[in-house]
Amino acid sequence: MSDVYLASNILLFPDEILHEILLRSPGKSVVRCSAVCKSWNSLVNSFIRHPHTRFPSNHHDDDDDVQLLFLQVYEPYKIHVKRRVHYVLHRDDSARDEHTKLTSPFVAYNNTRTCPAKKKVLDGDVDVVGTCNGLVCMVPHDDDDGGIDFAAIIWNPYIRKLVVLPKPGLAVAKNIKGIRYAFGYDSCTNDYKVLRCVNYKSLRNDDKTLKFSNYVSFRKPPTFHVEIWSLATGSWKSLIAADDDDIIPANFYPELFTRSRVVCVNGALHWLQTRRHLNGVSELSEYLVAWFDMAKEIFGETMVPEALRKKLHFQSGREWFISRYRETIALVKIRNYRFPRGDCVQIWVMEEYGVAASWAKLFTVQLQNVFVLAPLSLKNSGVLGFRKNGEVVLRDVGDGVRLLDPKSEQVSDFLIDGSCCCLNFVDSFVGSFVLYCQPNAISY
């Protein structure tokens, strides 16, 4: 049977049948179908005009509810040897150790860019910021010194396309203390955005682009700049303009933004923050969850339970983590104990998203001889996330990854190919066609 016959007769199926056929096909096969002929190309293009159309992760799966985890995996530490990093899509099923190793997007980036060889990117030189609707946002380690010629990469590993974000105008400066990124989705405009916070060591008096007249504090004014990149426009814009002093809240502290993980839930970015105020002659701090609405591009805050409100983040032996938990957010408190006793893990979940009164404590688990890594930086987060069955993914001080079942209080190793693994990043993942029609996307 000729391809011409197939191409002409497949269009005789009703649209809803064609939609179901494509929906149940592996994403890579759907992309290949677009190259068969003009009619198939038109069919596929009309199908993927809805960019959040999702497709099965593996055409051999008979489980319609299959879910995936996106992993950044690195090899165990060896002296004088640079760690090798790779990326994996892992089936989110404790009973089945199934995974697919992904081709790195930086192979394509290095081969298509005309930058000098010294600016070529290795997988070990990047951090994963987050995932959203089948896209992965990644940033280089040395963004603050200009060593790599891009700000970030947005990658769709299923259809093997990526978009390179240019460095904004404030990318390189000698007085930069740190740079932090966050990634999310604006459902109102069907757009993907990258939030970028630049923290400076000092503020020049003659810099008219940075205004902080609304800042109320008992310390020196903050020295930071916030900007946002849009996939739809392909450009950066500042969120601090001459007449927009109210955009950045008075209690926004970029150092804490840098320390806390940022999670995207319900169209908003969330991270741990503190509010500082005077109590007589002393300055007190209390915890809250800060957020940034991706559609309205405004900041806000949500209170945490009264039991968690006192600032514990920098107290010895206690650490807080924020994570996405299904369709809401969770707070995980780690109480550190000395050897041989293990850490104590406490989990709080906002049962109704956006309602501060709905915070509920799910579990308190005393670990046995398991010690969680303190969150010294983005890549060293002790709580990596949750699996769909409720297990907590923990990174311990020995560089291993543990799975905690809060119900049974059992701890097991996270295995890939039957072996323990080391992870920098874990998040849920689903395949999509986002970037398929993006004009500036690089295919590989």
Side-chain angles (χ1 to χ4, degrees):
M1 187 177 293
S2 68
D3 290 342
V4 175
Y5 181 83
L6 283 172
S8 60
N9 283 275
I10 192 172
L11 297 179
L12 298 178
F13 286 105
D15 290 345
E16 58 270 18
I17 299 298
L18 294 175
H19 182 87
E20 287 298 319
I21 292 174
L22 293 175
L23 193 62
R24 297 173 185 271
S25 303
K28 293 178 182 178
S29 297
V30 174
V31 173
R32 292 192 187 102
C33 287
S34 66
V36 172
C37 61
K38 289 183 178 181
S39 59
W40 281 35
N41 180 267
S42 176
L43 173 66
V44 172
N45 285 338
S46 64
F47 170 69
I48 63 177
R49 284 174 185 171
H50 305 284
H52 304 303
T53 298
R54 298 171 178 178
F55 47 85
S57 58
N58 188 324
H59 64 281
H60 298 297
D61 289 323
D62 54 8
D63 181 5
D64 292 336
D65 194 35
V66 63
Q67 295 186 37
L68 296 172
L69 295 173
F70 177 87
L71 312 177
Q72 185 185 43
V73 187
Y74 63 94
E75 294 182 353
Y77 178 75
K78 296 180 181 179
I79 299 177
H80 305 307
V81 177
K82 188 176 182 64
R83 288 186 173 186
R84 297 183 60 187
V85 177
H86 59 275
Y87 307 97
V88 169
L89 289 180
H90 194 285
R91 185 185 177 104
D92 191 7
D93 185 344
S94 299
R96 300 170 67 176
D97 179 15
E98 295 181 359
H99 63 278
T100 301
K101 189 174 180 179
L102 301 171
T103 302
S104 169
F106 299 106
V107 172
Y109 172 82
N110 292 336
N111 290 337
T112 57
R113 301 289 290 179
T114 58
C115 59
K118 66 178 181 179
K119 290 189 176 182
K120 299 285 185 185
V121 185
L122 301 177
D123 290 306
D125 295 330
V126 298
D127 291 319
V128 179
V129 174
T131 67
C132 185
N133 293 333
L135 297 184
V136 182
C137 179
M138 312 171 80
V139 299
H141 289 326
D142 58 352
D143 179 85
D144 55 342
D145 63 13
I148 294 178
D149 195 29
F150 66 89
I153 277 181
I154 306 298
W155 173 36
N156 187 328
Y158 259 23
I159 61 174
R160 299 182 60 165
K161 283 181 175 286
L162 63 105
V163 171
V164 180
L165 279 64
K167 284 194 172 183
L170 294 174
V172 180
K174 293 182 179 179
N175 64 333
I176 285 179
K177 186 176 182 180
I179 299 176
R180 180 63 185 274
Y181 292 83
F183 176 59
Y185 173 64
D186 175 2
S187 60
C188 293
T189 59
N190 190 29
D191 194 11
Y192 293 85
K193 298 178 179 179
V194 176
L195 186 71
R196 182 175 184 266
C197 178
V198 182
N199 189 18
Y200 296 93
K201 297 177 182 177
S202 61
L203 179 65
R204 297 181 301 173
N205 294 329
D206 60 344
D207 190 346
K208 297 181 181 180
T209 65
L210 305 177
K211 293 188 64 179
F212 306 103
S213 59
N214 70 321
Y215 184 79
V216 180
S217 178
F218 311 102
R219 299 173 181 268
K220 63 182 181 179
T223 54
F224 60 89
H225 190 86
V226 179
E227 50 200 339
I228 195 166
W229 179 88
S230 161
L231 178 62
T233 64
S235 61
W236 292 93
K237 73 174 181 179
S238 172
L239 295 185
I240 305 179
D243 55 352
D244 278 337
D245 293 333
D246 293 334
I247 291 180
I248 309 299
N251 286 289
F252 180 74
Y253 291 92
E255 292 185 9
L256 293 183
F257 177 73
T258 301
R259 182 179 172 90
S260 172
R261 181 182 179 184
V262 181
V263 296
C264 184
V265 177
N266 199 36
L269 305 171
H270 304 77
W271 64 95
L272 290 175
Q273 193 68 66
T274 59
R275 175 189 288 114
R276 300 175 180 177
H277 57 87
L278 280 180
N279 182 16
V281 296
S282 61
E283 185 181 22
L284 300 180
S285 299
E286 61 181 8
Y287 251 142
L288 55 87
V289 173
W291 50 262
F292 178 78
D293 188 300
M294 299 299 288
K296 298 179 181 178
E297 297 186 353
I298 58 174
F299 289 86
E301 59 186 46
T302 300
M303 296 305 299
V304 299
E306 184 68 32
L308 310 183
R309 200 162 295 170
K310 290 184 180 180
K311 179 190 169 190
L312 300 175
H313 198 66
F314 296 115
Q315 292 184 10
S316 176
R318 296 180 181 181
E319 296 290 351
W320 283 99
F321 302 84
I322 188 170
S323 179
R324 177 166 56 190
Y325 182 82
R326 296 170 182 164
E327 300 303 321
T328 185
I329 55 177
L331 296 176
V332 183
K333 184 179 80 169
I334 306 295
R335 178 68 171 92
N336 301 121
Y337 293 97
R338 294 183 179 180
F339 184 83
R341 190 179 181 184
D343 290 344
C344 182
V345 179
Q346 189 178 112
I347 303 172
W348 291 73
V349 171
M350 180 181 284
E351 294 183 327
E352 184 177 353
Y353 175 80
V355 180
S358 69
W359 283 107
K361 182 168 66 173
L362 292 188
F363 299 99
T364 299
V365 180
Q366 176 61 57
L367 303 177
Q368 301 298 321
N369 299 321
V370 176
F371 301 89
V372 181
L373 189 67
L376 301 178
S377 68
L378 175 66
K379 65 178 181 178
N380 288 329
S381 177
V383 177
L384 294 173
F386 289 86
R387 302 187 73 168
K388 70 175 181 179
N389 62 3
E391 289 181 333
V392 190
V393 185
L394 303 172
R395 182 172 172 181
D396 65 26
V397 294
D399 233 10
V401 179
R402 306 294 189 94
L403 298 173
L404 167 63
D405 184 339
K407 294 182 179 179
S408 66
E409 300 189 3
Q410 298 299 308
V411 177
S412 59
D413 293 325
F414 194 112
L415 303 178
I416 295 181
D417 281 335
S419 302
C420 296
C421 62
C422 302
L423 302 178
N424 276 338
F425 182 87
V426 176
D427 202 358
S428 58
F429 185 88
V430 62
S432 76
F433 289 104
V434 183
L435 300 186
Y436 181 81
C437 296
Q438 190 69 22
N440 60 334
I442 300 172
S443 300
Y444 66 100

